[in-house]
Coordinates of all heavy atoms in Angstrom, one line a residue:
V329 N -40.0 14.9 -30.6 CA -38.6 14.8 -31.1 C -38.2 13.4 -31.2 O -37.6 13.0 -32.2 CB -37.7 15.5 -30.0 CG1 -36.3 15.4 -30.4 CG2 -38.1 17.0 -29.9
K330 N -38.5 12.5 -30.3 CA -38.3 11.1 -30.4 C -39.1 10.4 -29.4 O -39.7 11.0 -28.5 CB -36.8 10.8 -30.2 CG -36.3 11.0 -28.7 CD -34.8 10.5 -28.6 CE -34.3 10.6 -27.2 NZ -33.0 10.0 -27.0
A331 N -39.2 9.1 -29.5 CA -39.9 8.2 -28.6 C -39.2 6.9 -28.4 O -38.4 6.5 -29.2 CB -41.3 8.0 -29.2
K332 N -39.4 6.3 -27.3 CA -38.8 5.0 -27.0 C -39.8 4.1 -26.4 O -40.4 4.3 -25.3 CB -37.7 5.2 -25.9 CG -36.9 3.9 -25.6 CD -35.9 4.1 -24.5 CE -34.8 5.0 -24.9 NZ -33.7 5.2 -23.9
N333 N -40.1 2.9 -27.1 CA -41.1 2.0 -26.6 C -40.4 0.8 -25.9 O -40.0 -0.1 -26.6 CB -41.9 1.5 -27.8 CG -43.0 0.5 -27.4 OD1 -43.2 0.3 -26.3 ND2 -43.7 0.0 -28.4
R334 N -40.3 0.9 -24.6 CA -39.7 -0.2 -23.8 C -40.7 -1.3 -23.5 O -40.3 -2.2 -22.8 CB -39.0 0.4 -22.6 CG -37.8 1.3 -23.0 CD -36.8 1.5 -21.8 NE -37.4 2.0 -20.6 CZ -36.8 2.5 -19.6 NH1 -35.4 2.4 -19.6 NH2 -37.4 3.0 -18.5
F335 N -41.9 -1.1 -23.9 CA -42.8 -2.3 -23.8 C -42.4 -3.3 -24.8 O -42.5 -4.5 -24.6 CB -44.3 -1.8 -24.0 CG -44.9 -1.1 -22.8 CD1 -45.1 0.3 -22.9 CD2 -45.2 -1.7 -21.7 CE1 -45.6 1.0 -21.9 CE2 -45.8 -1.0 -20.6 CZ -45.9 0.4 -20.7
K336 N -41.9 -2.8 -26.0 CA -41.5 -3.7 -27.0 C -40.1 -4.2 -26.8 O -39.8 -5.4 -27.0 CB -41.6 -3.0 -28.4 CG -41.2 -3.8 -29.6 CD -41.4 -3.1 -30.9 CE -41.1 -3.9 -32.1 NZ -41.3 -3.2 -33.3
K337 N -39.2 -3.3 -26.4 CA -37.8 -3.6 -26.1 C -37.5 -3.2 -24.7 O -37.1 -2.0 -24.5 CB -36.9 -2.9 -27.1 CG -35.5 -3.4 -27.1 CD -34.6 -2.7 -28.2 CE -33.2 -3.2 -28.1 NZ -32.3 -2.5 -29.1
P338 N -37.6 -4.1 -23.7 CA -37.4 -3.7 -22.3 C -36.0 -3.2 -21.9 O -35.1 -3.4 -22.7 CB -37.7 -5.0 -21.5 CG -38.4 -5.9 -22.5 CD -37.9 -5.5 -23.8
A339 N -36.0 -2.5 -20.8 CA -34.7 -2.0 -20.3 C -33.8 -3.1 -19.8 O -34.3 -4.3 -19.7 CB -35.0 -1.0 -19.2
L340 N -32.6 -2.8 -19.5 CA -31.6 -3.8 -19.0 C -32.2 -4.5 -17.8 O -32.0 -5.8 -17.7 CB -30.4 -3.0 -18.6 CG -29.2 -3.9 -18.0 CD1 -28.7 -4.8 -19.1 CD2 -28.1 -3.0 -17.5
T341 N -32.9 -3.9 -16.9 CA -33.5 -4.6 -15.7 C -34.7 -5.4 -16.0 O -35.3 -6.0 -15.1 CB -33.8 -3.5 -14.6 OG1 -34.8 -2.6 -15.2 CG2 -32.6 -2.8 -14.2
G342 N -35.3 -5.2 -17.2 CA -36.5 -5.9 -17.6 C -37.7 -4.9 -17.5 O -38.9 -5.3 -17.8
Y343 N -37.5 -3.7 -17.0 CA -38.6 -2.8 -16.8 C -39.1 -2.3 -18.2 O -38.4 -2.2 -19.2 CB -38.1 -1.5 -16.0 CG -39.3 -0.6 -15.7 CD1 -40.2 -1.0 -14.7 CD2 -39.5 0.6 -16.3 CE1 -41.3 -0.2 -14.4 CE2 -40.6 1.4 -16.0 CZ -41.4 1.0 -15.0 OH -42.5 1.8 -14.7
R344 N -40.5 -2.1 -18.2 CA -41.1 -1.7 -19.5 C -41.9 -0.4 -19.2 O -42.7 -0.3 -18.3 CB -42.1 -2.8 -19.9 CG -41.4 -4.1 -20.4 CD -42.3 -5.3 -20.5 NE -41.8 -6.4 -21.2 CZ -40.9 -7.3 -20.6 NH1 -40.6 -7.1 -19.3 NH2 -40.5 -8.3 -21.3
D345 N -41.8 0.5 -20.2 CA -42.6 1.8 -20.2 C -42.5 2.4 -21.6 O -41.9 1.8 -22.5 CB -42.1 2.7 -19.1 CG -40.7 3.3 -19.3 OD1 -40.1 2.9 -20.3 OD2 -40.2 4.1 -18.5
F346 N -43.1 3.5 -21.7 CA -43.1 4.3 -23.0 C -42.7 5.7 -22.7 O -43.3 6.3 -21.8 CB -44.4 4.2 -23.7 CG -44.4 4.7 -25.1 CD1 -44.2 3.9 -26.2 CD2 -44.5 6.1 -25.4 CE1 -44.2 4.3 -27.5 CE2 -44.4 6.6 -26.7 CZ -44.3 5.7 -27.7
S347 N -41.6 6.2 -23.4 CA -41.2 7.6 -23.2 C -41.3 8.3 -24.5 O -41.0 7.8 -25.5 CB -39.7 7.6 -22.7 OG -39.6 7.0 -21.4
V348 N -41.7 9.6 -24.4 CA -41.8 10.5 -25.5 C -41.2 11.8 -25.1 O -41.4 12.3 -24.0 CB -43.3 10.6 -26.0 CG1 -44.1 11.2 -24.9 CG2 -43.3 11.4 -27.3
W349 N -40.4 12.4 -26.1 CA -39.8 13.7 -25.8 C -40.5 14.7 -26.8 O -40.5 14.5 -28.0 CB -38.3 13.6 -26.1 CG -37.6 12.8 -25.0 CD1 -36.9 13.4 -24.0 CD2 -37.4 11.4 -25.0 NE1 -36.3 12.3 -23.2 CE2 -36.6 11.1 -23.8 CE3 -37.8 10.4 -25.8 CZ2 -36.2 9.9 -23.5 CZ3 -37.4 9.1 -25.4 CH2 -36.7 8.8 -24.3
I350 N -41.0 15.8 -26.2 CA -41.7 16.7 -27.0 C -41.0 18.1 -26.9 O -40.4 18.4 -25.8 CB -43.2 16.9 -26.6 CG1 -43.3 17.3 -25.1 CG2 -43.9 15.5 -26.8 CD1 -44.7 17.5 -24.6
R351 N -41.1 18.9 -27.9 CA -40.5 20.2 -27.9 C -41.5 21.2 -27.5 O -42.7 21.3 -28.0 CB -40.0 20.6 -29.3 CG -39.2 21.8 -29.4 CD -38.6 22.0 -30.8 NE -39.6 22.4 -31.7 CZ -39.4 22.4 -33.0 NH1 -38.2 22.0 -33.5 NH2 -40.4 22.8 -33.9
I352 N -41.1 22.1 -26.5 CA -42.0 23.1 -26.0 C -41.5 24.5 -26.4 O -40.3 24.7 -26.3 CB -42.1 23.0 -24.4 CG1 -42.6 21.6 -24.0 CG2 -42.9 24.1 -23.9 CD1 -44.0 21.3 -24.4
E353 N -42.4 25.3 -26.9 CA -42.0 26.7 -27.3 C -42.0 27.6 -26.0 O -43.0 27.6 -25.3 CB -43.0 27.2 -28.3 CG -43.1 26.4 -29.6 CD -41.8 26.5 -30.4 OE1 -41.0 27.5 -30.3 OE2 -41.5 25.5 -31.1
C354 N -40.9 28.3 -25.8 CA -40.8 29.1 -24.6 C -40.8 30.6 -25.1 O -40.9 30.9 -26.2 CB -39.5 28.8 -23.8 SG -39.4 27.0 -23.3
Q355 N -40.5 31.5 -24.1 CA -40.5 32.9 -24.4 C -39.2 33.2 -25.2 O -38.2 32.5 -25.2 CB -40.5 33.7 -23.1 CG -41.8 33.7 -22.4 CD -41.8 34.6 -21.2 OE1 -40.8 34.6 -20.5 NE2 -42.9 35.4 -21.0
F356 N -39.3 34.3 -25.9 CA -38.2 34.9 -26.6 C -37.6 34.0 -27.7 O -36.4 34.0 -28.0 CB -37.0 35.3 -25.7 CG -37.5 36.1 -24.5 CD1 -37.4 35.6 -23.2 CD2 -38.1 37.4 -24.7 CE1 -37.9 36.4 -22.1 CE2 -38.6 38.1 -23.6 CZ -38.5 37.6 -22.3
G357 N -38.4 33.1 -28.2 CA -38.0 32.2 -29.3 C -37.2 31.0 -28.9 O -36.8 30.2 -29.7
F358 N -37.1 30.8 -27.6 CA -36.4 29.6 -27.1 C -37.3 28.4 -27.1 O -38.5 28.5 -27.0 CB -35.9 29.8 -25.6 CG -34.7 30.8 -25.6 CD1 -34.9 32.1 -25.1 CD2 -33.4 30.4 -25.9 CE1 -33.9 33.0 -25.1 CE2 -32.4 31.3 -25.9 CZ -32.6 32.6 -25.4
Q359 N -36.6 27.2 -27.2 CA -37.4 26.0 -27.2 C -36.8 25.1 -26.1 O -35.6 25.2 -25.8 CB -37.3 25.3 -28.5 CG -37.9 26.1 -29.6 CD -37.6 25.5 -31.0 OE1 -36.6 24.9 -31.2 NE2 -38.5 25.7 -31.9
H360 N -37.6 24.2 -25.5 CA -37.1 23.2 -24.5 C -37.7 21.9 -24.8 O -38.8 21.8 -25.2 CB -37.5 23.7 -23.1 CG -36.7 23.0 -22.0 ND1 -35.5 23.5 -21.6 CD2 -36.9 21.9 -21.3 CE1 -35.0 22.7 -20.7 NE2 -35.9 21.7 -20.5
I361 N -36.9 20.8 -24.6 CA -37.3 19.5 -24.8 C -37.7 18.9 -23.4 O -36.8 18.9 -22.5 CB -36.3 18.6 -25.5 CG1 -36.0 19.2 -26.9 CG2 -36.7 17.2 -25.6 CD1 -34.9 18.5 -27.6
C362 N -38.9 18.3 -23.3 CA -39.3 17.7 -22.1 C -39.7 16.3 -22.3 O -40.0 15.9 -23.4 CB -40.6 18.5 -21.6 SG -40.3 20.2 -21.4
E363 N -39.6 15.5 -21.3 CA -39.9 14.0 -21.4 C -41.2 13.7 -20.7 O -41.5 14.2 -19.6 CB -38.7 13.2 -20.7 CG -39.0 11.7 -20.8 CD -37.9 10.9 -20.0 OE1 -37.3 11.5 -19.1 OE2 -37.7 9.7 -20.4
I364 N -42.0 12.9 -21.3 CA -43.2 12.3 -20.7 C -43.0 10.8 -20.6 O -42.8 10.1 -21.6 CB -44.4 12.6 -21.5 CG1 -44.6 14.1 -21.5 CG2 -45.7 12.0 -20.8 CD1 -45.8 14.6 -22.4
Q365 N -43.0 10.2 -19.4 CA -42.9 8.8 -19.2 C -44.3 8.2 -18.9 O -45.0 8.7 -18.0 CB -42.0 8.5 -18.0 CG -40.5 9.0 -18.2 CD -39.7 8.8 -16.9 OE1 -40.2 8.8 -15.8 NE2 -38.4 8.6 -17.1
I366 N -44.6 7.2 -19.6 CA -46.0 6.5 -19.5 C -45.8 5.1 -18.9 O -45.1 4.3 -19.5 CB -46.7 6.5 -20.8 CG1 -46.8 7.9 -21.4 CG2 -48.0 5.8 -20.7 CD1 -47.2 7.9 -22.8
H367 N -46.3 4.9 -17.7 CA -46.1 3.7 -16.9 C -47.4 2.9 -16.8 O -48.5 3.5 -16.7 CB -45.5 4.0 -15.5 CG -44.3 4.8 -15.5 ND1 -43.0 4.3 -15.8 CD2 -44.1 6.1 -15.3 CE1 -42.1 5.2 -15.7 NE2 -42.7 6.4 -15.4
H368 N -47.2 1.6 -16.6 CA -48.3 0.7 -16.2 C -48.1 0.5 -14.7 O -47.0 0.1 -14.2 CB -48.2 -0.6 -17.0 CG -49.5 -1.4 -16.8 ND1 -49.8 -2.1 -15.6 CD2 -50.5 -1.8 -17.6 CE1 -50.9 -2.8 -15.7 NE2 -51.3 -2.6 -16.9
A369 N -49.2 0.6 -13.9 CA -49.1 0.5 -12.4 C -48.6 -0.8 -12.0 O -47.8 -0.9 -11.0 CB -50.5 0.8 -11.8
G370 N -49.0 -1.9 -12.7 CA -48.5 -3.2 -12.3 C -47.1 -3.4 -12.5 O -46.4 -4.0 -11.7
M371 N -46.5 -2.8 -13.6 CA -45.1 -2.8 -13.8 C -44.3 -2.0 -12.8 O -43.3 -2.4 -12.3 CB -44.8 -2.3 -15.2 CG -43.3 -2.3 -15.6 SD -42.6 -4.0 -15.6 CE -43.5 -4.8 -16.9
K372 N -44.9 -0.9 -12.4 CA -44.2 -0.1 -11.3 C -44.2 -0.8 -10.0 O -43.2 -0.8 -9.3 CB -45.0 1.3 -11.1 CG -44.8 2.2 -12.3 CD -43.5 2.9 -12.3 CE -43.3 3.9 -11.2 NZ -42.0 4.6 -11.3
K373 N -45.3 -1.5 -9.7 CA -45.3 -2.3 -8.4 C -44.3 -3.4 -8.5 O -43.5 -3.6 -7.5 CB -46.7 -2.8 -8.2 CG -46.8 -3.6 -6.8 CD -48.2 -4.1 -6.6 CE -48.3 -4.7 -5.1 NZ -47.3 -5.7 -4.9
L374 N -44.2 -4.1 -9.6 CA -43.2 -5.2 -9.7 C -41.8 -4.6 -9.6 O -40.9 -5.2 -9.0 CB -43.4 -5.9 -11.0 CG -42.5 -7.1 -11.3 CD1 -42.8 -8.2 -10.2 CD2 -42.7 -7.7 -12.7
D375 N -41.5 -3.5 -10.2 CA -40.2 -2.9 -10.2 C -39.8 -2.5 -8.7 O -38.7 -2.7 -8.3 CB -40.3 -1.6 -11.0 CG -38.9 -0.9 -11.1 OD1 -37.9 -1.5 -11.5 OD2 -38.9 0.3 -10.7
S376 N -40.8 -2.0 -8.0 CA -40.6 -1.7 -6.6 C -40.3 -3.0 -5.7 O -39.4 -3.0 -4.9 CB -41.7 -0.9 -6.0 OG -41.6 -0.7 -4.6
D377 N -41.1 -4.0 -6.0 CA -41.0 -5.2 -5.2 C -39.7 -5.9 -5.4 O -39.0 -6.5 -4.5 CB -42.1 -6.2 -5.5 CG -43.5 -5.7 -5.1 OD1 -43.5 -4.8 -4.2 OD2 -44.5 -6.3 -5.5
L378 N -39.2 -5.9 -6.7 CA -37.9 -6.5 -7.0 C -36.7 -5.6 -6.8 O -35.6 -6.1 -6.9 CB -38.0 -7.0 -8.5 CG -39.0 -8.0 -8.9 CD1 -39.0 -8.3 -10.4 CD2 -38.8 -9.3 -8.1
K379 N -37.0 -4.4 -6.5 CA -35.9 -3.4 -6.2 C -34.9 -3.3 -7.4 O -33.7 -3.3 -7.3 CB -35.1 -3.7 -5.0 CG -36.0 -3.6 -3.7 CD -35.2 -3.9 -2.5 CE -36.1 -3.7 -1.2 NZ -35.3 -4.0 0.0
S380 N -35.5 -3.4 -8.6 CA -34.7 -3.4 -9.8 C -33.9 -2.1 -10.0 O -32.8 -2.2 -10.6 CB -35.5 -3.7 -11.1 OG -36.5 -2.8 -11.2
H381 N -34.4 -1.0 -9.6 CA -33.7 0.3 -9.8 C -32.4 0.3 -8.9 O -31.4 0.8 -9.3 CB -34.6 1.5 -9.5 CG -33.9 2.8 -9.7 ND1 -33.6 3.2 -11.0 CD2 -33.4 3.7 -8.9 CE1 -33.0 4.4 -11.0 NE2 -32.8 4.7 -9.7
A382 N -32.6 -0.3 -7.7 CA -31.4 -0.4 -6.8 C -30.3 -1.2 -7.5 O -29.1 -0.9 -7.4 CB -31.8 -0.9 -5.5
L383 N -30.7 -2.3 -8.1 CA -29.8 -3.2 -8.8 C -29.1 -2.5 -10.0 O -27.9 -2.6 -10.2 CB -30.5 -4.5 -9.3 CG -30.9 -5.4 -8.2 CD1 -31.7 -6.6 -8.8 CD2 -29.7 -6.0 -7.4
Y384 N -30.0 -1.7 -10.7 CA -29.4 -0.9 -11.8 C -28.4 0.1 -11.3 O -27.3 0.2 -11.9 CB -30.5 -0.2 -12.5 CG -30.0 0.8 -13.5 CD1 -29.5 0.4 -14.7 CD2 -30.1 2.2 -13.3 CE1 -29.0 1.3 -15.7 CE2 -29.7 3.1 -14.2 CZ -29.1 2.6 -15.4 OH -28.7 3.5 -16.3
E385 N -28.7 0.8 -10.2 CA -27.7 1.8 -9.7 C -26.5 1.1 -9.2 O -25.4 1.6 -9.4 CB -28.4 2.6 -8.5 CG -29.4 3.5 -9.0 CD -28.9 4.7 -9.9 OE1 -27.7 5.0 -9.7 OE2 -29.6 5.1 -10.7
Y386 N -26.6 -0.1 -8.7 CA -25.4 -0.9 -8.2 C -24.5 -1.2 -9.3 O -23.2 -1.0 -9.2 CB -25.9 -2.1 -7.5 CG -24.8 -3.0 -7.0 CD1 -23.9 -2.6 -6.1 CD2 -24.7 -4.4 -7.4 CE1 -22.8 -3.4 -5.7 CE2 -23.7 -5.2 -7.0 CZ -22.8 -4.7 -6.1 OH -21.8 -5.5 -5.6
F387 N -25.0 -1.6 -10.5 CA -24.1 -1.9 -11.6 C -24.0 -0.8 -12.6 O -23.4 -1.0 -13.7 CB -24.7 -3.1 -12.3 CG -24.4 -4.4 -11.6 CD1 -25.4 -5.1 -10.9 CD2 -23.2 -5.0 -11.6 CE1 -25.2 -6.2 -10.2 CE2 -22.9 -6.2 -11.0 CZ -23.9 -6.8 -10.2
R388 N -24.5 0.4 -12.2 CA -24.4 1.6 -13.2 C -23.0 1.8 -13.7 O -22.8 2.0 -14.9 CB -25.0 2.8 -12.5 CG -24.6 4.1 -13.2 CD -25.4 5.3 -12.7 NE -26.7 5.4 -13.3 CZ -26.9 6.0 -14.5 NH1 -25.9 6.5 -15.1 NH2 -28.1 6.1 -15.0
S389 N -22.0 1.9 -12.8 CA -20.7 2.2 -13.2 C -20.1 1.1 -14.1 O -19.3 1.3 -15.0 CB -19.8 2.4 -12.0 OG -19.7 1.2 -11.2
F390 N -20.6 -0.2 -13.9 CA -20.1 -1.3 -14.8 C -20.7 -1.1 -16.2 O -20.0 -1.3 -17.2 CB -20.6 -2.6 -14.2 CG -20.1 -3.8 -15.0 CD1 -18.8 -4.1 -15.2 CD2 -21.1 -4.6 -15.7 CE1 -18.4 -5.2 -15.9 CE2 -20.7 -5.7 -16.4 CZ -19.3 -6.0 -16.6
F391 N -21.9 -0.7 -16.3 CA -22.5 -0.6 -17.6 C -22.4 0.8 -18.2 O -22.8 1.1 -19.3 CB -24.0 -0.9 -17.6 CG -24.3 -2.4 -17.4 CD1 -24.8 -2.8 -16.2 CD2 -24.0 -3.3 -18.4 CE1 -25.0 -4.2 -16.0 CE2 -24.3 -4.6 -18.2 CZ -24.8 -5.1 -17.0
A392 N -21.8 1.8 -17.5 CA -21.7 3.1 -18.0 C -20.9 3.2 -19.3 O -19.8 2.6 -19.4 CB -20.9 4.0 -17.0
G393 N -21.5 3.8 -20.3 CA -20.9 3.9 -21.6 C -21.2 2.7 -22.5 O -20.8 2.7 -23.7
A394 N -21.8 1.7 -22.0 CA -22.1 0.5 -22.8 C -23.2 0.8 -23.8 O -24.3 1.0 -23.4 CB -22.4 -0.7 -21.9
T395 N -23.0 0.8 -25.1 CA -24.0 1.0 -26.1 C -24.0 -0.2 -27.0 O -24.6 -1.2 -26.9 CB -23.8 2.3 -26.8 OG1 -22.4 2.4 -27.3 CG2 -24.0 3.5 -25.8
E396 N -23.1 -0.1 -28.1 CA -23.0 -1.2 -29.0 C -22.4 -2.4 -28.4 O -22.7 -3.5 -28.8 CB -22.1 -0.7 -30.2 CG -22.6 0.4 -31.0 CD -24.0 0.1 -31.6 OE1 -24.2 -1.0 -32.1 OE2 -24.8 1.0 -31.7
G397 N -21.6 -2.3 -27.3 CA -20.9 -3.4 -26.7 C -21.7 -4.0 -25.5 O -21.2 -4.8 -24.8
L398 N -23.0 -3.6 -25.4 CA -23.7 -4.0 -24.2 C -23.8 -5.5 -24.2 O -23.8 -6.1 -23.1 CB -25.1 -3.4 -24.2 CG -26.0 -3.7 -23.1 CD1 -25.4 -3.3 -21.7 CD2 -27.4 -3.0 -23.2
T399 N -24.0 -6.2 -25.3 CA -24.1 -7.6 -25.3 C -22.9 -8.3 -24.7 O -23.0 -9.3 -24.0 CB -24.3 -8.1 -26.8 OG1 -25.5 -7.5 -27.3 CG2 -24.4 -9.6 -26.8
D400 N -21.7 -7.8 -25.1 CA -20.5 -8.3 -24.5 C -20.4 -8.2 -23.0 O -20.0 -9.1 -22.3 CB -19.2 -7.6 -25.2 CG -19.1 -7.9 -26.6 OD1 -19.6 -9.0 -27.1 OD2 -18.5 -7.1 -27.3
W401 N -20.9 -7.0 -22.5 CA -20.8 -6.8 -21.1 C -21.8 -7.8 -20.4 O -21.4 -8.3 -19.3 CB -21.3 -5.3 -20.8 CG -20.3 -4.3 -21.4 CD1 -19.8 -4.3 -22.6 CD2 -19.8 -3.2 -20.7 NE1 -19.0 -3.2 -22.8 CE2 -19.0 -2.5 -21.7 CE3 -20.0 -2.6 -19.5 CZ2 -18.4 -1.3 -21.3 CZ3 -19.4 -1.4 -19.2 CH2 -18.6 -0.8 -20.1
L402 N -23.0 -8.0 -21.0 CA -23.9 -8.9 -20.4 C -23.3 -10.4 -20.4 O -23.6 -11.1 -19.5 CB -25.2 -8.9 -21.1 CG -26.1 -7.6 -20.8 CD1 -27.3 -7.5 -21.8 CD2 -26.6 -7.6 -19.4

Side-chain angles (χ1 to χ4, degrees):
V329 177
K330 68 172 184 174
K332 182 186 293 183
N333 184 1
R334 295 199 302 190
F335 287 106
K336 182 176 181 180
K337 187 177 180 181
L340 179 64
T341 60
Y343 188 73
R344 292 164 169 81
D345 64 359
F346 190 94
S347 295
V348 59
W349 289 263
I350 59 175
R351 190 174 71 194
I352 301 295
E353 300 295 332
C354 305
Q355 288 182 320
F356 311 116
F358 288 103
Q359 299 169 330
H360 197 84
I361 298 174
C362 306
E363 180 186 26
I364 299 176
Q365 298 173 333
I366 301 169
H367 304 279
H368 190 291
M371 181 61 64
K372 289 286 285 185
K373 183 178 186 305
L374 184 63
D375 182 60
S376 175
D377 291 345
L378 296 177
K379 298 184 177 179
S380 59
H381 185 70
L383 291 172
Y384 170 73
E385 288 296 330
Y386 176 57
F387 283 103
R388 162 170 277 276
S389 63
F390 180 66
F391 289 109
T395 51
E396 298 299 323
L398 181 58
T399 300
D400 295 333
W401 297 45
L402 288 170

